[in-house]
Amino acid sequence: MAQVRRQRRKTRQSSSPNASAMPACSAHPQQPGDGRFYLESLLGSGGMCEVYSALDLRRVEWGDANPRVAVKRLLPALAQHPQAQVALAQEFCVLRHLVHPGVVRVFDLHKEPFGICLSMELLEGRTAYVELGAYPDGLGMRAIQATAKLFGVLAFLHGQGVIHGDIKPANLFLAPEGRVALLDFNVASVTARPGAASSPVAQGLRETLRLPAHSLLHASPERLSTGRPSAADDVFSACCTAYELLTGRHPFKGRSAQEAQQQGMIAEKPDILTRRQWEPLGRGLAFAPQDRLTAAELHKRFTVRGVLRRLAAQWSHHEALPYKKE
């Protein structure tokens, strides 16, 4: 074991001439030989987990041309919390069955000195939340394309019996080449029935585990009242997110769905959409879940029926927004 650690230390030093300048973890500085991963820089942090770019030292040892991955671990304060550990393990159990460009790909579940973690593909790009900070009036043509892809991945998830439960701009990743991927399946739930497509996904999951996490500004009225995620709730959250991508504004002017419903607010049609184009998105923002279209119907309306093509033609006289990379 000591020999392996010395080899890892030697490999890390030779593969990274500026290794001494690498930032350490926020609360548990990682030393060479402390495990499989060398955590380099913090990519993002949420209420339960944080994500780092990392060197996979096993890949380095074997000469992999691309040894960097993303590592998702529990926040240091939750590293030994049993329910948080189960939640992260369940996220892996769900994601490992989902193969789709719109879902971040996971590699494995690990037990490291700092606790359990997931290794995942390291995405290049930024979240929609960060992009909206750079483009406060919306993302233009990129928003139109991203909306169609968001509904597509949501239709895939619901077809597999998976409810995301926390769709918002911060959990939507936009890659420079146009890929759109949903992140953070911490509170995802699975509806499994005998013979359903979701049955393999649900094997081994503790259905009793539910973490009360959601975005106040993107959750549906029924989610805010009952706390239970559903496919209709995902649709509402996705349409709120799409509205922000298209306009740079929240559909209910920064109010929660419950407040907006109590005040009788109705989302205004964005200027860039015709009434025909706005109709399916507006229905997705209905306060009553039975009035919303399904994710599959939204995806169809935004692609097959030519909405995406008409929107693209509408914006053809504008230049595509440049992609800013930090």
Side-chain angles (χ1 to χ4, degrees), residues 288-304:
Q290 63 271 19
D291 292 339
R292 298 173 204 144
L293 298 176
T294 65
E297 289 169 336
L298 281 166
H299 184 234
K300 183 177 180 181
R301 294 284 291 270
F302 266 75
T303 52
V304 177

Side-chain angles (χ1 to χ4, degrees), residues 155-230:
F156 165 76
L157 291 177
H158 292 173
Q160 297 296 313
V162 176
I163 309 300
H164 184 278
D166 194 20
I167 298 175
K168 56 187 177 182
N171 287 340
L172 187 66
F173 198 88
L174 306 178
E177 72 277 9
R179 181 182 174 188
V180 173
L182 274 174
L183 310 175
D184 201 350
F185 283 69
N186 281 343
V187 295
S189 59
V190 177
T191 303
R193 300 181 305 278
S198 59
S199 295
V201 183
Q203 290 178 3
L205 298 189
R206 283 174 49 183
E207 290 298 315
T208 56
L209 179 65
R210 292 291 180 268
L211 298 177
H214 54 263
S215 168
L216 181 65
L217 294 182
H218 301 88
S220 64
E222 68 272 16
R223 177 76 188 281
L224 293 174
S225 61
T226 68
R228 299 193 189 107
S230 67

Side-chain angles (χ1 to χ4, degrees), residues 4-245:
V4 171
R5 288 184 176 179
R6 285 196 296 272
Q7 179 62 38
R8 286 185 175 183
R9 185 182 300 111
K10 183 185 299 183
T11 303
R12 185 187 66 80
Q13 292 170 345
S14 63
S15 64
S16 181
N18 297 318
S20 60
M22 288 183 177
C25 306
S26 56
H28 291 290
Q30 186 183 19
Q31 301 301 323
D34 269 356
R36 175 167 174 172
F37 303 103
Y38 185 90
L39 306 186
E40 296 181 303
S41 59
L42 181 66
L43 300 177
S45 181
M48 192 177 79
C49 296
E50 54 190 5
V51 180
Y52 285 83
S53 63
L55 271 178
D56 184 336
L57 299 180
R58 184 172 298 173
R59 292 190 182 192
V60 172
E61 289 172 4
W62 288 97
D64 194 312
N66 186 21
R68 281 179 168 78
V69 297
V71 169
K72 182 173 185 177
R73 71 172 196 174
L74 296 171
L75 294 172
L78 296 174
Q80 303 305 319
H81 192 289
Q83 191 178 34
Q85 291 176 341
V86 172
L88 187 59
Q90 287 199 174
E91 181 175 1
F92 170 74
C93 291
V94 172
L95 286 173
R96 71 191 179 97
H97 290 280
L98 301 175
V99 181
H100 189 279
V103 179
V104 62
R105 185 160 56 104
V106 296
F107 300 134
D108 213 339
L109 180 67
H110 311 267
K111 188 174 182 180
E112 291 290 293
F114 51 74
I116 67 168
C117 65
L118 305 181
S119 58
M120 310 181 296
E121 62 176 321
L122 183 60
L123 298 173
E124 295 291 334
R126 305 197 298 191
T127 66
Y129 178 82
V130 175
E131 282 293 273
L132 286 170
Y135 299 105
D137 295 325
L139 305 185
M141 183 60 200
R142 290 182 59 218
I144 296 166
Q145 296 169 335
T147 294
K149 292 178 180 180
L150 171 58
F151 292 147
V153 65
L154 199 58
F156 165 76
L157 291 177
H158 292 173
Q160 297 296 313
V162 176
I163 309 300
H164 184 278
D166 194 20
I167 298 175
K168 56 187 177 182
N171 287 340
L172 187 66
F173 198 88
L174 306 178
E177 72 277 9
R179 181 182 174 188
V180 173
L182 274 174
L183 310 175
D184 201 350
F185 283 69
N186 281 343
V187 295
S189 59
V190 177
T191 303
R193 300 181 305 278
S198 59
S199 295
V201 183
Q203 290 178 3
L205 298 189
R206 283 174 49 183
E207 290 298 315
T208 56
L209 179 65
R210 292 291 180 268
L211 298 177
H214 54 263
S215 168
L216 181 65
L217 294 182
H218 301 88
S220 64
E222 68 272 16
R223 177 76 188 281
L224 293 174
S225 61
T226 68
R228 299 193 189 107
S230 67
D233 170 63
D234 268 358
V235 166
F236 185 90
S237 300
C239 289
C240 279
T241 299
Y243 193 98
E244 290 189 55
L245 294 178

